[in-house]
Amino acid sequence: QVQLQQWGAGLLKPSETLSLTCAVYGGSFSSYYWSWIRQPPGKGLEWIGEINHSGSTNYNPSLKSRVTISVDTSKNQFSLKLSSVTAADTAVYYCARGGVDTAVVTSRYFDLWGRGTLVTVSS
Amino acid sequence: DIQMTQSPSTVSASVGDRVTITCRASQSISSWVAWYQQKPGKAPKLLIYKASSLESGVPSRFSGSGSGTEFTLTISSLQPDDFATYYCQQYNSYPGTFGQGTKLEIK
């Protein structure tokens, strides 16, 4: 049974850097792309970016200038850093596994999700 | 970015009802659509991918259809556990984008 376990700081001040990590337990790490997705309170879902085991990344252009996603294959973990946060970055952040029934030119759906981490940005 | 527009935003229904939720894409996305169910305080759960493929373990009362720009999620006979918010998502191109959600309420 594959599980995603995520953790990171839940309260930040404006201009600080958000940092979250997601660990993958019980399954293949190298066969998938791994994503971060966020959901502001009471609102919809926004894809942030993804990474695979070799470090290949794709980012949402709306956040690209502030986002870094990295991978540690020795620990089956991937991490998100979002710099210069503001109140608009307050959200539940999810890590998720990209589904494999896709085409070379498409992005991904998400078949496995972490529990989510609420990150609040407040002075 | 491709815009995904769901309708209705809210639907009220009773146990046993048949419910259909629609998602329209701002441009053709072939069959690259997924549907998710989300309950309060929980992560989304994948129901359908590639427009009509049922994710393993999802009850067969859930079905998806459509291609191009118009897609539907149908629940054939509502069960108490189905009252939740539903999201569509296109993955035809980057960035993947989600609809705004449809809240399914008990009538």
Side-chain angles (χ1 to χ4, degrees):
Chain A
Q1 186 80 353
V2 184
Q3 293 186 20
L4 305 183
Q5 183 175 340
Q6 57 182 106
W7 64 89
L11 181 60
L12 297 173
K13 291 181 167 52
S15 81
E16 292 185 334
T17 296
L18 179 158
S19 182
L20 298 173
T21 298
C22 183
V24 180
Y25 297 106
S28 172
F29 187 76
S30 61
S31 300
Y32 299 91
Y33 269 82
W34 303 92
S35 279
W36 290 97
I37 297 159
R38 70 180 183 178
Q39 184 172 36
K43 297 188 177 181
L45 298 154
E46 180 181 33
W47 177 76
I48 299 168
E50 67 180 6
I51 194 166
N52 70 0
H53 71 286
S54 63
S56 178
T57 55
N58 293 293
Y59 296 133
N60 192 323
S62 68
L63 296 167
K64 187 174 183 177
S65 64
R66 297 194 291 132
V67 171
T68 302
I69 298 176
S70 59
V71 66
D72 184 342
T73 55
S74 67
K75 297 180 180 178
N76 283 4
Q77 294 177 0
F78 61 106
S79 298
L80 168 70
K81 290 190 185 300
L82 180 66
S83 64
S84 304
V85 298
T86 70
D89 295 310
T90 293
V92 175
Y93 286 75
Y94 295 101
C95 57
R97 186 176 75 179
V100 296
D101 194 344
T102 62
V104 173
V105 297
T106 66
S107 58
R108 262 156 273 276
Y109 60 96
F110 309 105
D111 63 356
L112 186 66
W113 296 64
R115 290 188 169 186
T117 301
L118 174 60
V119 177
T120 302
V121 181
S122 175
S123 56
Chain B
D1 298 0
I2 296 174
Q3 306 291 331
M4 301 295 283
T5 303
Q6 288 182 233
S7 60
S9 296
T10 306
V11 57
S12 297
S14 301
V15 172
D17 284 353
R18 179 184 180 90
V19 170
T20 297
I21 299 168
T22 298
C23 188
R24 288 186 173 85
S26 59
Q27 64 188 73
S28 179
I29 55 172
S30 185
S31 296
W32 304 116
V33 162
W35 290 93
Y36 302 87
Q37 176 193 69
Q38 187 177 33
K39 296 181 178 179
K42 301 293 187 183
K45 172 188 174 183
L46 177 67
L47 301 175
I48 301 282
Y49 61 95
K50 208 159 69 176
S52 60
S53 296
L54 192 68
E55 173 70 349
S56 176
V58 174
S60 59
R61 64 181 179 273
F62 291 92
S63 63
S65 65
S67 66
T69 61
E70 187 158 334
F71 303 87
T72 59
L73 172 70
T74 299
I75 310 172
S76 60
S77 178
L78 274 174
Q79 299 302 301
D81 191 49
D82 300 338
F83 293 95
T85 300
Y86 292 84
Y87 293 93
C88 61
Q89 179 225 343
Q90 70 80 19
Y91 55 102
N92 179 80
S93 60
Y94 285 95
T97 49
F98 295 84
Q100 80 279 15
T102 295
K103 186 174 183 180
L104 177 52
E105 298 180 330
I106 301 173
K107 184 183 285 185

